[in-house]
Amino acid sequence: MRDPRDTRLPTSPGFWRSPVRGPWFTSVLGVVLLVGITLLFVTGLLSYAAYNPDLAPVNDKTPDKGLLGFYLFAWPTDPPWLYRLTQGVHVTLGVTLIPVLLAKLWSVVPKLFALPPARSVAHALERLSLLLLVGGALFEFVTGVLNVQLDYLFPGSFYPLHFYGAWVFIAAFVTHAVLRVPVALRNLHVLRAREKAAPAQELAPAEEPVSAEGLVSPRPAEPTVSRRGALGLVGGGSLLLFGTTAGHSFDGRLRETALLAPHGGPEPGTGPGAFQINKTASYAGIHERETGEDAWRLVVVGRGGTVRLSRAALLELPLHGSALPIACVEGWSTSDQRWRGVRLRDLAALVGYDDPPDVLVESLQRRGAFRRAALRANQVADVRSLLALQVNGADLTPDHGYPARIIVPAAPGVLNTKWVARMTFGEL
C-alpha cells in the first residue's frame, strides 16, 4: 500500500499538496464548463452549417464527415446578423472559458496519475473519458485561439482539425458528464446545506461534501488562498478576457476595448473603406493590371448563355443598396456598411433564370481555401444580396475587393468573395 505521506512521485497521494483542491472546487468549475462547453459546441455546429458544406465540394472542408453532417440545413439570410451573433458568441465564450478550463485541469490533475489505472469497468471508462477530455479540450482551445489570432502553427487545415477534434472531445465530454454530473450536483447540494447551517465557515479538507476520490491531499500545505478566493481569481481572469475580447463583435467605441482580439481596437484609418479586413489585395496576389477598366471583365454563365460585363457596364445596370456587416470565423465583425451594387438575382436573370438558382463564385485570387465559394438559391434570391461595386458612398478599395465583391446577409465573411471574376448560375 502506498504511504499517503510519500511526496516523491506524482502517483503518490502526498505529492499533490494544495489545500484548494477538492470535490467542491472541482464541481463548481465542472458545472460552469458543462453549460459553457455545451453552448460552445452548439454555436460551433451552427458556424459549420453557415458554410453550407452540403451545397458543393468547394464549401466542404471536411468531405469525410459522413454521419457527422446529419444536422446540416440550408443556412438562412434572416436575421442578417445571425452569423455575427453565433460566431461572436462562439469565439468570445471560448476565450472567456480559458481560465476556467485551466483551473479545472489543475484541480483534477492528481486523478490522471492515480493508481491502479482501473478498479472496475466503470472506473476504466471514466479514466479513458478523462484522458480524451483533457486532450480534446487542450486541442480544441489551442487550435481555436491560434485561429482567432491568425497563427496557423498546426499542421493541416484548421477546418477539419477543429471539426473532427470537436466531435472526439464532445463524445468524451458527454461520457464524462453522464458519469460525473450527478456527483458534482450532489457536492454542491451538500455544500449549500452546510452553508445554511454555518454560512461563515470555509470547508476543511476533512469536511468535503463527498468522497475526495484522490483530490484532497492527505498532507495539505498551509493555505495561501481560500477555495472561494481561488474561484474568485478564476472568475476575475475570465472577466478580464471577456472584457478584452468581446468588443471585436460590436460597433463603435466598444470595439476599442478588444485589446486581445486580432481585429479589435479602433477601426483602421478613416474614410469610406476604413473597416476591418483579413486579407489585403497584395496578400491575395491581386495586381492592378488585372483589375483595371480595360482588363477586368465579369463572366456570368447560365443556361441562357454567357455574358461578359465590364465595370462600366455593371454600373449601368439597376443598382441597389444594402446595409450589412462583415462577420468572420475568427469572431470579429464590422458594423453595418452601406453597400451598393447589382443584385445577384438580377445577374441570374441576365443568363436565363427568373427563379434564382445556386451560384458558384470565383475570384481573381489564385490561392486560398475560399478562392471559390458556392451560394444557395435562397442567398441569391435575397434582395439584399449584391455584387457590390461601392461601399459607404465610394468605389471599393483594392483591399475590400475592387472591382467587385459579393455581399450576402448572414453569410460568413469568406463566402463574401472579393475580386470576383466569374459567376456560374445553375445546379452545382
Side-chain angles (χ1 to χ4, degrees), residues 215-233:
L215 295 182
V216 175
S217 174
R219 298 180 63 219
E222 286 296 320
T224 56
V225 64
S226 69
R227 291 193 178 113
R228 291 180 180 85
L231 204 60
L233 290 174

Side-chain angles (χ1 to χ4, degrees), residues 46-53 55 59 75 83 159 329 370 374 412 414-415:
L46 290 175
S47 177
Y48 180 66
Y51 284 77
N52 284 322
L55 172 62
N59 287 22
W75 190 252
Y83 186 76
Y159 297 97
V329 69
F370 288 93
V414 289
L415 298 186

Side-chain angles (χ1 to χ4, degrees), residues 189-243:
H189 175 72
V190 171
L191 173 69
R192 284 195 297 270
R194 291 189 178 181
E195 282 190 332
K196 288 180 180 178
Q201 293 181 8
E202 175 86 14
L203 286 183
E207 298 174 321
E208 284 290 352
V210 180
S211 171
E213 298 183 334
L215 295 182
V216 175
S217 174
R219 298 180 63 219
E222 286 296 320
T224 56
V225 64
S226 69
R227 291 193 178 113
R228 291 180 180 85
L231 204 60
L233 290 174
V234 174
S238 288
L239 285 175
L240 177 63
L241 289 178
F242 177 82

Side-chain angles (χ1 to χ4, degrees), residues 171-376:
F173 180 75
V174 170
T175 301
H176 192 75
V178 168
L179 293 170
R180 300 305 302 169
V181 164
V183 175
L185 295 178
R186 192 159 64 250
N187 285 343
L188 297 178
H189 175 72
V190 171
L191 173 69
R192 284 195 297 270
R194 291 189 178 181
E195 282 190 332
K196 288 180 180 178
Q201 293 181 8
E202 175 86 14
L203 286 183
E207 298 174 321
E208 284 290 352
V210 180
S211 171
E213 298 183 334
L215 295 182
V216 175
S217 174
R219 298 180 63 219
E222 286 296 320
T224 56
V225 64
S226 69
R227 291 193 178 113
R228 291 180 180 85
L231 204 60
L233 290 174
V234 174
S238 288
L239 285 175
L240 177 63
L241 289 178
F242 177 82
T244 53
T245 302
H248 68 167
S249 298
F250 292 90
D251 302 337
R253 298 301 298 270
L254 191 59
R255 176 181 296 276
E256 298 182 18
T257 65
L259 303 177
L260 297 184
H263 294 295
E267 297 286 8
T270 59
F275 57 95
Q276 295 288 354
I277 59 170
N278 255 354
K279 296 177 182 177
T280 65
S282 175
Y283 176 88
I286 306 300
H287 300 286
E288 187 176 348
R289 62 177 180 271
E290 301 172 285
T291 59
E293 184 64 34
D294 294 335
W296 182 82
R297 294 293 183 273
L298 173 68
V299 180
V300 185
V301 181
R303 66 187 177 193
T306 299
V307 176
R308 296 173 61 87
L309 298 165
S310 66
R311 198 169 189 279
L314 285 168
L315 288 169
E316 292 176 359
L317 296 175
L319 301 181
H320 301 272
S322 294
L324 296 172
I326 297 288
C328 283
V329 69
E330 297 88 5
W332 67 269
S333 57
T334 73
S335 57
D336 285 353
Q337 308 299 320
R338 294 177 291 107
W339 307 92
R340 188 165 178 80
V342 182
R343 285 175 174 163
L344 299 187
R345 62 185 302 152
D346 292 344
L347 291 172
L350 287 179
V351 288
Y353 295 97
D354 295 327
D355 188 14
D358 304 333
V359 64
L360 174 65
V361 183
E362 299 177 70
S363 173
L364 290 173
Q365 183 179 342
R366 292 175 178 80
R367 57 188 175 90
F370 288 93
R371 183 182 64 83
R372 301 186 300 160
L375 299 173
R376 286 192 186 276

Side-chain angles (χ1 to χ4, degrees), residues 144-164:
V145 169
L146 288 174
N147 179 66
V148 169
Q149 297 296 334
L150 307 177
D151 291 326
Y152 302 108
L153 304 178
F154 39 81
S157 170
F158 167 76
Y159 297 97
L161 288 173
H162 204 66
F163 178 78
Y164 293 125

Side-chain angles (χ1 to χ4, degrees), residues 1 3 45 59 73 105 109 190 291 369 372 384 396:
M1 177 177 293
D3 185 347
L45 292 183
N59 287 22
F73 56 95
L105 296 179
V109 70
V190 171
T291 59
R372 301 186 300 160
R384 296 163 294 183
L396 296 171

Side-chain angles (χ1 to χ4, degrees), residues 31-176:
V31 170
V32 173
L33 288 175
L34 176 65
V35 176
I37 286 177
T38 300
L39 186 55
L40 274 181
F41 186 64
V42 171
T43 53
L45 292 183
L46 290 175
S47 177
Y48 180 66
Y51 284 77
N52 284 322
D54 55 341
L55 172 62
V58 296
N59 287 22
D60 190 1
K61 304 306 173 185
T62 56
D64 299 321
K65 62 184 176 297
L67 294 176
L68 297 181
F70 69 93
Y71 73 96
L72 294 175
F73 56 95
W75 190 252
T77 56
D78 277 310
W81 40 260
L82 179 60
Y83 186 76
R84 186 183 187 188
L85 172 65
T86 60
Q87 192 60 13
V89 168
H90 183 74
V91 171
T92 301
L93 180 60
V95 173
T96 301
L97 286 177
I98 288 175
V100 183
L101 174 69
L102 294 178
K104 171 70 173 179
L105 296 179
W106 174 85
S107 73
V108 300
V109 70
K111 299 188 71 172
L112 297 178
F113 295 91
L115 296 176
R119 298 191 297 267
S120 64
V121 173
H123 184 246
L125 185 60
E126 180 189 344
R127 292 292 297 275
L128 178 61
S129 72
L130 184 61
L131 289 174
L132 291 175
L133 190 66
V134 171
L138 291 175
F139 180 83
E140 287 299 289
F141 276 79
V142 168
T143 56
V145 169
L146 288 174
N147 179 66
V148 169
Q149 297 296 334
L150 307 177
D151 291 326
Y152 302 108
L153 304 178
F154 39 81
S157 170
F158 167 76
Y159 297 97
L161 288 173
H162 204 66
F163 178 78
Y164 293 125
W167 280 105
V168 171
F169 169 67
I170 205 64
F173 180 75
V174 170
T175 301
H176 192 75

